[in-house]
Amino acid sequence: SAGVLFVHVLEREHFKGEFPPYPKPGDSSNDPITFNTNLMGYPDRPGWLRYIQRTSHSDGVLYGSPTAEHVGKATIIEIIAYNRRTFETARHNLVINIMSTEEYPLPYQAEFYIKNMNVEEMLASEVLGDFLGAVKNVWQPERLNAVNITSALDRGGRVPLPINNLKEGVYVMVGADVQFSSCLREVENSQNQLRCSQEMEPVISCDKKFRAQFDIDWCKINLVDITKMIMIHSNRPDPGTGVLPDIGGYNPPPESLKSRDFFADFLITLAVPSAVAMVLFSVLGYSMCCRREGVDKRNMQTPDIQLVHHSSIQKSTKELRSMSKNREISWPLSTLPVFSQSEEVVPPIHPDNYETTSMPLMQTQTGWGVQ
């Protein structure tokens, strides 16, 4: 029925008869079997239908909640069972007929977040029945149905750590035909809202009726009154049949193509940039090679006193360089002790190198003594 939770279990025992028996008797239940489900003729399932199988040794579960737009449409689900021991497959078809119901949609819907359950555990008929019984005991409606079940991972939740048997959590939405009870309304008072904002558990009087089996996060409960919701209708265009209209035959291009002249493209791409580069190169070469004044013209325009100074500096520089070439010593003389208090010449630290010195650093130092 539309608006009511649909659950179908893909039992591994149902498909084992189509695979060869296990070589060892009594071990046929250990065959790893996985399922692939899709809408016939399409690569995936309908948008309202989900599938989960935790391991290859557990049963698969199809679940979801169809809406009114799916009523009257026969949904054929193609189920392919894959035996990972023998690499064989078995194919079955599941036909789902969606019917309308006068109770859809139930006007008052409440969504609970259960922290200590995984989605496949909650989909078990006995566990879901226990939860609906607890909700009915608190709510006291005449009609109560499970509308939808969603894993917390599908809502952006994080995968729990594999310690302390942590669960991923599950959202369960139920619908009823009467107003919300005072117990469910307690989460909306200011004191509980303040506790939720401070990440503290709110005080709910009926929590003890769930606590024995279900750990509910009351801060995440969502109460929806459909009768007070404003329906917004959008005028969407008719999607049509999906078949393109007949607009005539296809006219391919002719086999003989017209020749194209690429001379203009050549001029724009290569010739023009090359000509500009040659002009710039010629101007630069003329400026650097043909416009030089020369040393003679420079000397003629320089005052004589500057030339004399420059010549004397250059001559002194050459003389110092020639003197430094004749000195074959690794340590400068300025760093070596030359004179002593007794006016005797003290041999340097490196006497061999000192004896090879042909000329001191400054000739005026010879004959001087320290008093």
Side-chain angles (χ1 to χ4, degrees):
S1 300
V4 180
L5 181 66
F6 166 81
V7 180
H8 180 77
V9 181
L10 303 179
E11 299 179 357
R12 296 169 63 253
E13 294 290 341
H14 182 70
F15 292 86
K16 286 179 181 178
E18 303 188 21
F19 298 121
Y22 200 72
K24 297 180 180 181
D27 292 341
S28 59
S29 59
N30 293 329
D31 279 353
I33 299 176
T34 57
F35 300 95
N36 184 30
T37 60
N38 61 278
L39 185 64
M40 179 170 288
Y42 295 88
D44 203 355
R45 297 175 298 275
W48 62 271
L49 189 62
R50 297 186 180 93
Y51 169 74
I52 185 172
Q53 184 182 13
R54 190 66 64 174
T55 65
S56 59
H57 294 279
S58 59
D59 296 335
V61 182
L62 285 167
Y63 67 100
S65 180
T67 59
E69 63 181 7
H70 301 105
V71 173
K73 299 179 181 179
T75 303
I76 302 178
I77 304 299
E78 190 176 25
I79 303 172
I80 300 177
Y82 176 61
N83 191 324
R84 295 188 174 274
R85 177 182 63 87
T86 61
F87 303 102
E88 295 185 356
T89 59
R91 186 187 305 268
H92 286 188
N93 290 335
L94 174 66
V95 181
I96 304 175
N97 295 314
I98 303 174
M99 302 175 296
S100 62
T101 174
E102 297 179 356
E103 300 178 358
Y104 174 79
L106 293 173
Y108 305 101
Q109 297 180 359
E111 187 179 52
F112 300 85
Y113 175 58
I114 305 174
K115 297 185 290 184
N116 64 333
M117 288 286 175
N118 289 336
V119 62
E120 70 276 8
E121 298 174 345
M122 196 67 200
L123 289 171
S125 58
E126 60 275 6
V127 178
L128 183 59
D130 294 341
F131 179 75
L132 293 179
V135 174
K136 190 171 185 178
N137 188 17
V138 171
W139 201 338
Q140 298 295 331
E142 294 182 4
R143 295 191 304 272
L144 181 71
N145 288 328
V147 177
N148 199 6
I149 293 180
T150 308
S151 172
L153 300 182
D154 297 333
R155 297 284 190 90
R158 301 179 63 180
V159 179
L161 296 175
I163 56 175
N164 298 331
N165 197 22
L166 295 178
K167 305 294 183 178
E168 62 190 29
V170 62
Y171 290 89
V172 180
M173 178 175 286
V174 297
D177 57 346
V178 298
Q179 285 279 358
F180 303 109
S181 63
S182 59
C183 171
L184 299 179
R185 291 286 188 183
E186 290 178 2
V187 73
E188 296 179 348
N189 61 50
S190 58
Q191 183 178 2
N192 284 330
Q193 290 293 327
L194 178 61
R195 295 179 65 89
C196 288
S197 63
Q198 298 175 352
E199 298 184 357
M200 300 173 61
E201 293 186 3
V203 180
I204 306 297
S205 59
C206 58
D207 179 57
K208 58 183 179 180
K209 296 183 179 180
F210 296 91
R211 184 66 63 177
Q213 188 175 0
F214 306 101
D215 185 8
I216 297 178
D217 188 348
W218 292 99
C219 290
K220 293 185 178 181
I221 189 173
N222 187 20
L223 305 179
V224 179
D225 187 354
I226 299 180
T227 59
K228 296 181 180 180
M229 295 178 62
I230 301 176
M231 303 300 295
I232 300 176
H233 300 278
S234 60
N235 296 326
R236 294 184 297 177
D238 186 8
T241 59
V243 180
L244 295 176
D246 186 9
I247 56 175
Y250 172 66
N251 296 323
E255 296 182 359
S256 59
L257 299 178
K258 296 181 180 181
S259 61
R260 180 180 174 184
D261 187 11
F262 292 96
F263 182 73
D265 297 338
F266 169 75
L267 292 179
I268 296 174
T269 306
L270 296 177
V272 173
S274 300
V276 174
M278 289 299 297
V279 171
L280 294 177
F281 179 77
S282 302
V283 172
L284 183 61
Y286 174 76
S287 301
M288 297 183 64
C289 301
C290 301
R291 299 289 295 176
R292 298 184 63 182
E293 297 178 350
V295 178
D296 297 336
K297 186 176 181 180
R298 183 196 64 187
N299 293 340
M300 292 175 60
Q301 296 178 353
T302 305
D304 294 339
I305 187 65
Q306 292 186 8
L307 294 177
V308 172
H309 290 172
H310 176 73
S311 178
S312 62
I313 293 173
Q314 192 174 20
K315 185 182 299 184
S316 300
T317 303
K318 291 181 179 179
E319 183 179 358
L320 289 174
R321 287 180 178 175
S322 62
M323 292 170 60
S324 64
K325 290 181 180 179
N326 296 329
R327 292 165 44 227
E328 299 177 357
I329 183 170
S330 59
W331 298 90
L333 294 177
S334 59
T335 61
L336 300 176
V338 180
F339 303 106
S340 65
Q341 297 293 337
S342 60
E343 299 184 1
E344 294 180 359
V345 177
V346 180
I349 300 177
H350 306 282
D352 296 336
N353 295 337
Y354 181 76
E355 290 176 359
T356 58
T357 303
S358 60
M359 185 178 295
L361 183 61
M362 295 180 64
Q363 296 180 2
T364 56
Q365 290 181 357
T366 60
W368 285 15
V370 179
Q371 300 298 330

